[in-house]
């Protein structure tokens, strides 16, 4: 919108929810009033259509923009399409090459990155274009003698092709989302995240030649009212992007033509001083091709000599331009045409200043604001509720997209076209097949209401929709053993006991549902971790019953597939567990779970809702691996009751736990591990190494070689070990490796023996045992775990977790990272959590020891995460003078576009909220901790550079 506007009030009108502009008698009607009316009505109509239609779509009865093989790449069918509420129309079928008309040339379909056999996503791009009489001569009325009047807004479209490489579930997901009008998550459709603020320099002593009408307190030092435009002409990160500016909203433009002598002249240039061209200034030479593609033209210096225009350097490709034009920019001629984006205020002219935030900027982004002589200020912000210095996103509608088809390149055209257009049914004749069906609960294998009704109609039997009914162990075993591969079944359990000797297995079946009558339907297994074990089933649903798992470590050799649960689903489709009471047995180390799913290559959805889980000591509550989407809602997870003495006995009998605790007591490295760079601890800058425990170094001689021994200072471990070793010089130790093994043995013995160990001939105290902080009651290793090579979405809300070393852990696992990891440089790893929502969970933290890492909520590599209103408390108030690696909430790894934690509460935990480590400062994203509370913590917040704490 580069018209000659007096002001641009549309942003405020939309934010205030104005319905229209009302004229008054005898009052002045300004162009701003008219334009605000247009903006309000366009916004309301586009929003209404988006709410009704969705992100994009075309009529089911008369669909438009159908893609078919044909000459010129492919053909584009006639019809209408709605893209985020904007209607675009193709009047008649046209080839890809000819879609822009004979005069323009768009990107060739067969670009170098779309080779033979390559698959392409074909999509529609919609935008709004500002049209003047220089683009459409019919807008100028000859009766008026040439002056332009109003301009127009045009809905513009073009069809494009993007190489894409998706297979399996990822392809199915792309198609499913496309048919709902949603584009794939790709950088090609990346939205702007950068923001700009405008203002004036602080009022200072006016220059001697200043107009006496300028107020002494003015920041804007001009008597001309101006409408400034800031426009991005080179996209990218803030450091890579560039901008230009105009005091006339970029509206000063003219046609570029040749006179009879072949010289350039500017036709349509105005003689009015503010609206004419300046010899020696910067101009942009562009044409209809630039306008259609949304690209910037050539920036050149203009020289005017008696009406003849010349450019430095010369205009490139003028003979190929369609309707070439020249636009004036007011960037100072003494400097470069394109200016860098700075985070500090940059002077434009007459006290006007702009600054930019870090983020991603698109070519064509723009901002408009007015400068007013009467007040000596610029009008900023553009909305009434904005703060005076608030940075805002760009104005304008931008470019929006809609999916059309998938196809592969074949020779000079395409083949294998798969139509993925979102179709809009006619509301007056809506049918059941038009209504999508959420099959998460019913697990019928239906996608629409019509398909669900057909499945129900095919079911029969006296027990309603139950395929089978079991009232005893024998009946249940007979039913399951009789099921055939691929068979669907809904098995209903009466209120009874179902004791099993070994896990009940469901192998290679269809859609399987097991439904009880409530907690009185009780299934227990004696010799096996899993009561129900599902393998390779189309889908799984278990509801309304009680299940008790058996002893851990009882699975036959070769049959284990990770940690099994009382309910286990391996390589199955969508899985849901609702209103089930589950119990898993205790073990020495993490070996079992109450619920365990491993989707494998199916990349299915998993739902766990309204369940009561009693978790055995050191085990896991919910363990979800490789799920495409995981939803864990409103569950209660508590550890089984164990007497205090029994807890300690189990812990010191577990060599894995003893090893972890001993490693926490002592390190042998000369350097403190950790990434380089500083962090903010409670708002103060500190090196990352300062978060490590305080060490002390002692030297001792071993075969005439100096070695270093590092110990945890507050425990005095190093001193005690050194005294013990010095008192036992007769011990035969040949090298460093043997010495380390010997010390580990001493520490392990001390952990098992109340802090004491025999060294030589004496039983010595190595450390005060109570300082280990071992739990005195039952605990769980982890409450909820969501992991896998890639997690598309994780939703964890409303859960109550008691006494867990890790309450909630969401982290895509993988072995893709090199050493050092590439994500520190801002490179997105493959193992990623695309979207996580963690809200309203209550977690009671119980670390395994004072030295073991523990988290209320832990997040690994994340693209998009919000966490709010979670409450995390420790079981005791640890002394804050000692380092404890315990965190209320912690994110460690790659951070994508959004990380927002708000209104969370952490109490009696060493570290409240931590976001680490620092990554490449050019990585684009909004990372913010807002309104989080921390009490009785040593460190309230620990954040990397670039993370805002509000």
């Amino acid at each position: 919108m580069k018209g000659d506007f007096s002001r641009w009030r549309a942003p405020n009108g939309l934010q205030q929810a104005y319905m229209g502009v009302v004229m008054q008698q005898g009052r002045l009607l300004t162009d701003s009033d008219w334009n605000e009316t247009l903006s309000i009505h366009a916004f309301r109509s586009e929003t209404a259509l988006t709410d009704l239609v969705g992100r994009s779509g075309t009529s089911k009865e008369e669909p438009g923009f159908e893609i078919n093989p044909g000459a010129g790449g492919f053909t584009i069918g006639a019809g209408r399409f709605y893209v985020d509420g904007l209607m675009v129309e193709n009047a008649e079928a046209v080839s890809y090459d000819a879609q822009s008309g004979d005069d323009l040339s768009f990107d060739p379909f067969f670009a170098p990155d779309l080779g033979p056999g390559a698959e392409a996503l074909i999509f529609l791009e919609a935008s709004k274009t500002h049209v003047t009489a220089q683009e459409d001569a019919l807008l100028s009325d000859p009766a008026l003698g040439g002056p332009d009047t109003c301009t127009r807004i045009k809905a513009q479209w073009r069809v494009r092709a993007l190489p894409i490489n998706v297979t399996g579930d990822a392809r199915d997901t792309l198609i499913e989302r496309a048919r709902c009008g949603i584009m794939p998550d790709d950088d090609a459709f990346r939205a702007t995240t950068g923001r700009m603020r405008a203002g004036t320099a602080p009022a200072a002593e006016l220059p001697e030649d200043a107009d006496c009408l300028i107020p002494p307190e003015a920041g804007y030092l001009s008597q001309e009212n101006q409408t400034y435009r800031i426009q991005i002409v080179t996209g990218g990160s803030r450091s890579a992007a560039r901008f230009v500016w105009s005091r006339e909203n970029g509206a000063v433009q003219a046609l570029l033509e040749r006179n009879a002598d072949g010289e350039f002249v500017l036709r349509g240039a105005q003689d009015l001083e503010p609206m004419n061209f300046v010899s020696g200034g910067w101009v942009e030479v562009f044409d209809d091709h630039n306008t259609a593609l949304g690209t910037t033209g050539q920036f050149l210096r203009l020289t005017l000599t008696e009406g003849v225009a010349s450019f430095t350097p010369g205009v490139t490709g003028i003979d190929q331009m369609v309707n070439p034009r020249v636009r004036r920019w007011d960037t100072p001629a003494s400097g470069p045409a394109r200016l860098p984006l700075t985070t500090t205020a940059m002077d434009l002219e007459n006290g006007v200043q702009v600054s930019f935030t870090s983020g991603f900027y698109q070519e064509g982004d723009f901002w408009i604001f007015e400068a007013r002589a009467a007040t000596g200020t610029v009008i900023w912000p553009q909305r009434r509720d904005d703060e005076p210095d608030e940075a805002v996103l760009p104005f304008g509608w931008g470019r929006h997209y809609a999916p059309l088809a998938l196809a592969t390149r074949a020779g000079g055209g395409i083949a294998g076209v798969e139509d993925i257009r979102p179709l809009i049914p006619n509301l007056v004749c809506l049918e059941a097949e038009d209504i999508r069906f959420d099959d998460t609960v019913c697990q019928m294998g239906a996608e629409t209401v019509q398909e669900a009704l057909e499945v129900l109609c095919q079911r029969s039997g006296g027990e309603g929709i139950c395929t089978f009914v079991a009232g005893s162990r024998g009946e249940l075993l007979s039913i399951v053993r009789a099921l055939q591969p691929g068979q669907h079944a809904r098995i209903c359990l009466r209120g009874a006991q179902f004791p099993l000797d070994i896990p009940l297995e469901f192998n290679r079946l269809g859609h399987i549902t097991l439904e009880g009558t409530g907690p009185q339907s009780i299934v227990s297994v004696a010799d096996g971790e899993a009561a129900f074990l599902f393998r390779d089933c189309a889908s799984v649903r278990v509801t309304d019953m009680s299940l008790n798992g058996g002893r851990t470590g009882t699975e036959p050799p070769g049959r284990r597939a990770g940690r099994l649960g009382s309910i286990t689903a391996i390589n199955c489709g969508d899985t849901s567990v609702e209103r089930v009471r589950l119990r898993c047995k205790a073990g020495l180390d993490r070996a079992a779970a109450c619920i365990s799913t491993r989707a494998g290559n199916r990349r299915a959805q998993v739902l766990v809702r309204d369940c009561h889980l009693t978790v055995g000591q050191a085990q896991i509550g919910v363990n979800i691996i490789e799920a495409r989407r995981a939803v864990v809602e409103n569950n209660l997870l508590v550890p089984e009751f164990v007497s205090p003495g029994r807890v300690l006995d189990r812990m010191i009998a577990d060599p894995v736990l003893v090893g972890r605790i001993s490693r926490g007591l002592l390190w042998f490295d000369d350097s403190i591990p950790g990434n380089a760079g500083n962090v903010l601890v409670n708002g103060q800058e500190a090196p990352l190494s300062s978060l490590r425990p305080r060490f002390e170094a002692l030297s001792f001689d071993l075969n005439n070689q100096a070695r270093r021994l590092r110990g945890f200072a507050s425990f005095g471990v190093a001193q005690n070990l050194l005294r013990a070793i010095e008192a036992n010089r007769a011990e035969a130790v040949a090298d460093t490796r043997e010495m380390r093994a010997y010390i580990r043995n001493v520490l392990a013995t001390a952990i098992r023996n109340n802090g004491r160990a025999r060294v030589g001939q004496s039983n010595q105290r190595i450390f005060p045992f109570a300082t280990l902080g071992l739990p005195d009651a039952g605990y769980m290793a982890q409450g909820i775990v969501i992991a896998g090579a890639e997690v598309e979405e994780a939703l964890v809300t409303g859960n109550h977790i008691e006494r867990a070393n890790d309450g909630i852990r969401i982290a895509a696992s993988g072995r893709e990272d090199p050493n050092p990891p590439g994500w520190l440089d801002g490179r997105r790893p493959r193992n990623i959590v695309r979207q996580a929502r963690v809200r309203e969970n209550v977690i009671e933290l119980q670390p395994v020891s004072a030295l073991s890492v523990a988290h209320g909520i832990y997040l690994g590599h994340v693209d998009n995460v919000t966490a709010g209103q979670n409450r995390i408390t420790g079981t005791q108030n640890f002394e804050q003078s000692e380092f404890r690696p315990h965190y209320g909430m912690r994110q460690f790894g790659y951070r994508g576009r959004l990380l927002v934690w708000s209104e969370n509460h952490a109490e009696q935990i060493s570290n409240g909220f931590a976001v680490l480590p620092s990554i490449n400062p050019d990585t684009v994203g909004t990372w913010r901790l807002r309104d989080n509370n921390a009490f009785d913590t040593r460190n309230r917040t620990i954040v990397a550079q670039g993370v805002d704490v509000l």
Side-chain angles (χ1 to χ4, degrees):
M1 301 296 293
K2 298 184 177 71
D4 182 18
F5 309 133
S6 62
R7 60 197 314 225
W8 193 256
R9 294 289 86 205
N12 184 64
L14 300 181
Q15 188 274 335
Q16 298 298 330
Y18 293 151
M19 293 180 61
V21 178
V22 182
M23 293 182 63
Q24 300 184 82
Q25 62 178 348
R27 295 340 190 254
L28 179 66
L29 174 64
T30 68
D31 65 297
S32 177
D33 296 326
W34 177 275
N35 295 335
E36 186 170 341
T37 301
L38 175 67
S39 298
I40 290 170
H41 287 287
F43 174 79
R44 291 177 65 86
S45 65
E46 290 167 7
T47 303
L49 279 172
T50 302
D51 291 342
L52 293 173
V53 171
R55 293 292 303 274
S56 64
T58 185
S59 170
K60 180 182 177 182
E61 283 70 31
E62 297 181 10
F65 288 81
E66 181 179 9
I67 302 301
N68 284 302
F74 52 82
T75 62
I76 306 165
R80 293 183 294 274
F81 217 100
Y82 297 90
V83 185
D84 286 324
L86 180 70
M87 187 193 81
V88 294
E89 185 170 10
N90 184 20
E92 59 184 11
V94 64
S95 71
Y96 174 86
D97 287 348
Q99 63 177 310
S100 58
D102 296 333
D103 294 333
L104 297 183
S105 174
F106 283 169
D107 302 331
F109 171 62
F110 298 118
D113 54 358
L114 191 61
E119 187 170 33
L121 169 68
I122 300 175
F123 61 95
L124 176 65
E125 178 184 276
S127 60
K128 296 180 181 180
T129 304
H130 185 221
V131 179
T132 70
Q134 293 179 356
E135 288 81 30
D136 183 358
L138 293 180
L139 298 184
S140 178
D141 189 346
L144 299 178
D148 64 341
T149 56
C150 295
T151 60
R152 304 292 188 270
I153 302 174
K154 178 182 179 181
Q156 181 170 283
W157 64 268
R158 64 168 170 155
V159 171
R160 298 175 59 191
L162 175 74
I164 194 165
N165 183 18
V166 289
T167 58
D169 288 341
R171 179 185 175 87
D172 294 340
T173 300
L174 184 150
I175 294 172
E176 179 183 352
R177 289 167 58 86
R179 287 176 176 156
C180 290
I182 303 172
M183 293 292 290
D185 184 11
D186 190 277
D187 285 345
F189 315 116
R190 193 174 181 182
T192 295
T193 58
R195 297 167 179 257
M196 190 202 81
R197 63 173 58 88
T200 58
E205 183 177 347
L206 295 177
E208 294 182 359
D209 59 349
D211 193 312
C212 63
L213 297 177
I214 298 177
E217 70 278 7
Y220 175 56
L221 305 177
S222 173
Q223 278 300 300
E224 294 289 338
N225 294 322
Q226 305 289 4
T227 301
Y228 282 88
R229 181 187 190 89
I230 310 298
Q231 181 161 321
I232 303 297
V233 292
T234 302
S237 65
R238 182 196 59 78
S239 60
R242 294 293 184 268
F243 78 96
V244 294
W245 62 271
S246 165
R247 68 178 69 92
E248 301 292 347
N249 189 35
V252 180
Q253 72 175 45
L255 294 172
L256 181 61
E257 297 182 348
R258 294 184 186 272
N259 59 20
D261 297 326
E263 300 168 320
F264 285 126
V265 293
L266 304 182
R267 188 170 68 82
Q270 299 186 33
D271 294 331
L272 186 64
E273 180 64 26
M275 301 296 287
N276 61 12
F277 287 84
V278 178
S279 185
W282 286 108
V283 295
E284 177 190 1
V285 177
F286 65 101
D287 72 340
D288 287 353
H289 186 267
N290 296 116
T291 302
L293 295 180
T295 57
T296 304
Q298 305 172 46
F299 282 94
L300 311 169
R301 292 186 187 275
L302 170 69
T303 300
L304 289 173
T305 306
E306 296 181 355
V308 174
S310 59
F311 302 94
T312 305
V315 182
T316 302
I318 185 65
D319 294 334
Q320 286 74 44
M321 288 187 178
V322 179
N323 193 25
R325 301 181 292 286
V326 179
R327 173 174 291 114
R328 189 192 85 192
W329 293 102
D330 295 317
T331 308
S334 58
R338 307 171 188 237
L339 302 176
L341 281 61
T342 61
T343 56
T344 57
M346 172 189 292
D347 292 324
L348 299 185
E349 64 173 5
N350 295 326
V352 177
Q353 296 180 333
V354 295
S355 62
F356 302 84
T357 67
S358 294
F360 176 77
Y361 294 82
Q362 286 189 340
E363 183 178 1
D365 289 341
F366 69 91
W367 295 262
I368 302 174
F369 60 91
E370 303 92 54
R372 293 298 180 250
T375 59
T377 62
V378 300
I379 299 179
W380 190 270
Q382 296 295 80
R383 305 191 316 183
R384 190 180 69 182
D385 63 336
D386 287 342
E387 295 296 329
D389 61 346
E390 183 171 357
V392 301
L393 289 169
F395 300 169
W397 199 74
R399 292 179 179 267
H400 297 230
Y401 309 92
L404 297 178
L406 292 173
T408 55
R409 176 178 175 178
I414 61 174
V417 178
E418 183 167 3
D419 191 347
I420 59 174
R421 290 174 297 171
L423 301 178
I424 310 165
N426 192 316
L427 294 179
V428 298
C429 59
L430 195 64
E431 299 177 352
E433 68 176 20
D434 297 320
I435 303 174
R436 293 176 59 83
F437 174 68
D438 185 354
D439 199 32
T440 304
V441 175
C442 296
Q443 298 286 319
M444 291 189 291
E447 295 184 357
T448 67
V449 171
Q450 182 64 42
E451 292 177 359
L453 292 173
E454 291 172 359
V455 172
L456 291 175
C457 290
Q458 293 170 5
R459 291 178 172 172
S460 61
E463 298 293 337
I465 61 174
C466 293
T467 313
F468 306 99
V469 178
S472 67
R473 170 182 174 273
E475 291 178 353
L476 178 59
L477 292 176
S478 297
I479 291 169
V480 176
R481 289 168 181 168
L483 295 175
Q484 300 299 310
Q487 182 177 349
H488 309 313
R490 187 184 189 96
I491 304 172
C492 298
L493 306 184
R494 298 187 189 277
Q497 296 272 355
F498 299 85
L500 305 172
D501 295 326
I502 59 175
L504 186 58
E505 297 196 25
F506 302 78
N507 295 317
R508 298 187 303 278
L509 300 175
H511 302 286
I512 300 298
T513 295
L514 285 112
E515 182 175 319
T517 58
Q520 62 269 35
S521 297
I522 304 173
V523 181
S524 303
V525 64
D527 195 12
E529 296 169 4
F532 289 158
L533 178 55
F534 301 89
R535 297 180 190 272
D536 301 301
C537 295
S539 69
V540 173
R541 182 170 182 247
V542 182
T543 66
D544 300 296
M545 64 180 69
S546 297
L547 285 103
N548 300 311
R551 295 183 296 114
T552 62
T554 54
E555 297 307 308
R559 295 297 303 274
R560 289 189 62 81
R563 298 180 179 91
L564 302 188
S566 303
I567 295 176
T568 300
I570 300 174
N571 199 31
C572 294
D574 292 351
T575 300
S576 68
V577 182
E578 297 184 81
R579 301 179 300 280
V580 177
R581 299 177 71 89
L582 295 115
R583 182 184 298 272
C584 63
K585 295 289 187 180
L588 293 180
D589 192 26
R590 293 174 298 173
C594 287
I595 300 173
S596 181
T597 70
R598 188 177 294 273
N601 57 10
R602 288 180 180 260
R603 302 285 292 136
Q605 298 187 86
V606 176
L607 169 68
V608 180
R609 179 187 292 155
D610 299 327
C611 294
H612 184 144
L613 283 65
T614 301
V615 185
Q617 180 182 316
Q619 306 309 304
I620 302 173
V622 179
N623 195 43
I624 299 174
I625 308 298
E626 302 291 354
R628 176 171 58 88
R629 182 173 185 264
V631 179
V632 185
E633 296 179 330
N634 303 330
N635 302 285
L636 174 63
L637 293 84
V638 297
E640 69 170 353
F641 173 77
V642 184
S643 61
R646 186 62 176 153
V647 172
L648 184 58
D649 290 344
R650 286 179 175 175
M651 292 186 68
I652 63 177
D654 184 356
V656 176
L657 284 177
V658 170
R660 290 177 189 161
I661 296 170
S662 67
R663 283 192 295 273
L665 284 169
L666 197 70
W667 279 267
F668 292 98
D669 298 326
D670 284 332
S671 62
I672 298 174
N675 293 305
N678 290 354
V679 296
L680 296 178
V681 181
N682 294 341
Q684 301 297 317
E685 189 169 355
L688 184 59
S689 59
S690 69
L691 301 181
R692 302 288 175 178
R694 289 176 292 115
F695 288 91
E696 58 188 19
L698 298 173
S699 299
F700 63 95
D701 186 82
L702 177 61
N703 294 343
N704 298 319
Q705 296 184 40
R707 305 295 181 189
R708 301 287 288 177
L709 178 68
R710 292 178 178 270
F712 198 41
S714 60
F715 286 1
V717 177
Q719 302 98 316
N720 293 342
L721 274 176
L722 184 59
R723 284 196 297 267
I725 293 170
E726 290 292 333
N728 188 34
R729 289 183 174 274
E731 188 71 38
V733 176
D735 54 29
T736 304
R737 181 177 180 181
E738 287 191 19
M739 174 58 74
R740 294 188 178 189
Y742 174 71
I743 293 174
R744 295 289 189 212
N745 269 338
V746 172
L747 290 175
T749 301
I751 292 169
R752 296 188 179 96
N753 193 32
N754 201 28
R756 305 185 69 85
R758 178 169 292 279
V759 181
Q761 301 300 314
S762 62
N763 190 355
Q764 301 193 32
R765 183 174 184 246
I766 304 302
F767 55 80
F769 187 77
T771 56
L772 293 181
L774 302 181
D776 58 1
Y779 67 92
M780 66 184 83
Q782 293 165 321
I784 297 169
V785 176
I786 300 174
E790 182 180 40
V791 179
E792 183 172 312
E793 182 179 12
L795 177 63
V796 183
T797 62
N799 300 284
H800 187 108
I801 304 171
E802 297 181 6
R803 297 183 65 81
N805 186 81
D806 286 314
I808 297 171
R809 188 177 185 89
I810 303 175
S813 57
R815 299 179 180 178
E816 302 293 338
D817 284 344
N819 188 14
W823 53 264
L824 287 174
D825 295 328
R827 286 175 283 174
R828 184 179 184 273
R830 292 184 180 180
N831 48 307
I832 196 80
V833 179
R834 288 184 177 274
Q835 180 167 281
R837 300 288 180 265
V838 186
R839 298 188 60 81
E840 300 176 4
N841 299 283
V842 177
I843 301 168
E844 180 184 338
L845 201 64
Q846 175 55 72
V848 171
S849 76
L851 301 171
S852 301
V853 179
H855 308 92
I857 298 172
Y858 176 87
L859 296 161
H861 298 325
V862 292
D863 252 349
N864 185 309
V865 58
T866 58
Q869 299 181 334
N870 299 286
R871 183 178 182 86
I872 305 151
T873 59
T875 56
Q876 55 183 306
N877 188 2
F878 293 108
E879 295 184 14
Q880 304 308 318
S881 60
E882 297 178 353
F883 173 81
R884 313 276 179 163
H886 307 153
Y887 299 85
M889 293 176 59
R890 183 186 182 200
Q891 189 271 330
F892 187 91
Y894 174 83
R895 290 183 292 280
R897 299 176 184 176
L898 179 70
L899 184 145
V900 176
W901 296 354
S902 62
E903 301 179 24
N904 300 286
H905 178 94
E907 185 171 353
Q908 294 184 343
I909 301 171
S910 182
N911 304 292
F913 306 94
V915 179
L916 295 169
S918 297
I919 59 179
N920 190 305
D922 288 333
T923 303
V924 176
T926 298
W927 309 325
R928 183 171 298 160
L929 276 60
R930 183 182 68 239
D931 300 330
N932 298 290
N933 296 319
F935 298 97
D936 294 335
T937 58
R938 182 169 182 262
N939 298 312
R940 181 177 183 271
T941 57
I942 305 169
V943 297
Q945 298 294 335
V947 180
D948 297 326
V949 179
L950 306 177

